[in-house]
Amino acid sequence: MDEWLSTVPVAHRGLHSPGVPENSLAAFAAAADAGYAIELDVHLSSDGEIVVFHDDTTTRLTGTHHKVTATSAAVLTALSLDGTSERIPLLREVLDLVAGRVPLLIEVKTGTPSALIGKPLLALLAGYAGTYAVQSFDPRIVLWLRRNAPGVTRGQISGSFAGDGVPFGQRILLRSMVLNAVTRPDFLAFQLDALPSVVVALWRRVLKAPLLVWTVRDPGQLRAAQRFGANPIFESMDPRL
């Protein structure tokens, strides 16, 4: 198991700050320069490119109204992030920028069938010499990785799903992470505010898997992460202070 998952703090969507938007090349450069691992989010564009962006639509960060998976990469990468000169990057641009300096924690967003996004993702990563792991809330993506790329370190993300509009039955299924029995993730990433959790404690023992927690934003939350023996996925603070 990659030791960095337990020891290197992870910058949530890069080391972003006022004027340095989340999931931007500037935020990733800042994190790499500081020696932090980088968490980033990926979608598949309508023309098969992997773009780095968190939301399902471009509204919040660009002021435009595009569904990411229904929009071409050319349109997406031309959009300004939060009124800055930064643009929505392609994953290949991020790989070129980071160039193995720090580990990458790549979250595959839900909404695209596993094989459709999995194949181009693996093609990009096959040529990357740096350290990385792939995670998702969607256990179907984790299962696809187990079956098609067992050598890629894979993680299951979960949490309370409270207020997310997820149907009750699906919420129970995802929160319990019962499909871990089939997907066998190498690590867990869980919502800090939903801890302690009997389910998380059980799966950590069964899988012998490290735990990362999201999102740590203040010293109190950092201390909580440390009490749970978890590596922080952080923003808005320096976890090394």
Side-chain angles (χ1 to χ4, degrees):
M1 176 47 56
D2 295 349
E3 184 180 357
W4 70 269
L5 288 165
S6 298
T7 60
V8 182
V10 182
H12 189 233
R13 306 177 196 170
L15 203 60
H16 54 94
S17 58
V20 180
E22 65 181 61
N23 276 326
S24 68
L25 291 180
F28 301 142
D33 289 346
Y36 293 121
I38 296 169
E39 187 268 352
L40 56 92
D41 308 281
V42 298
H43 288 277
L44 192 68
S45 69
S46 64
D47 53 347
E49 291 275 8
I50 296 184
V51 296
V52 180
F53 198 74
H54 175 269
D55 298 358
D56 292 337
T57 71
T58 61
T59 305
R60 177 176 64 92
L61 276 177
T62 74
T64 63
H65 305 289
H66 301 284
K67 183 177 179 181
V68 175
T69 57
T71 307
S72 71
V75 170
L76 292 170
T77 57
L79 298 176
S80 169
L81 287 171
D82 206 21
T84 70
S85 60
E86 293 293 312
R87 301 290 189 266
I88 296 175
L90 298 172
L91 179 59
R92 55 184 167 83
E93 294 177 301
V94 178
L95 298 180
D96 288 343
L97 172 75
V98 176
R101 287 182 288 161
V102 295
L104 298 176
L105 181 57
I106 302 168
E107 178 181 340
V108 178
K109 304 303 291 184
T110 59
T112 301
S114 306
L116 282 184
I117 192 167
K119 290 177 181 178
L121 175 63
L122 291 183
L124 280 176
L125 294 176
Y128 185 60
T131 300
Y132 60 87
V134 181
Q135 61 176 0
S136 184
F137 278 98
D138 189 341
R140 293 170 297 185
I141 290 170
V142 183
L143 179 60
W144 190 91
L145 288 168
R146 183 188 183 193
R147 289 175 172 171
N148 293 277
V152 171
T153 302
R154 61 189 180 273
Q156 181 64 57
I157 315 173
S158 190
S160 71
F161 296 95
D164 288 349
V166 178
F168 178 77
Q170 186 179 357
R171 184 166 70 246
I172 295 302
L173 178 70
L174 294 173
R175 187 165 60 193
S176 69
M177 297 186 287
V178 66
L179 292 177
N180 284 354
V182 178
T183 61
R184 308 301 291 184
D186 299 303
F187 65 95
L188 306 174
F190 205 78
Q191 181 183 2
L192 176 59
D193 293 343
L195 292 174
S197 164
V198 173
V199 167
V200 172
L202 171 65
W203 282 119
R204 290 182 79 180
R205 288 197 300 272
V206 170
L207 298 170
K208 297 179 174 58
L211 174 66
L212 296 93
V213 290
W214 52 274
T215 304
V216 172
R217 294 186 172 94
D218 60 52
Q221 290 180 323
L222 179 59
R223 288 192 293 271
Q226 292 166 341
R227 287 197 300 273
F228 292 120
N231 192 24
I233 300 174
F234 73 93
E235 61 182 38
S236 304
M237 63 169 296
D238 186 341
R240 291 175 176 158
L241 293 179

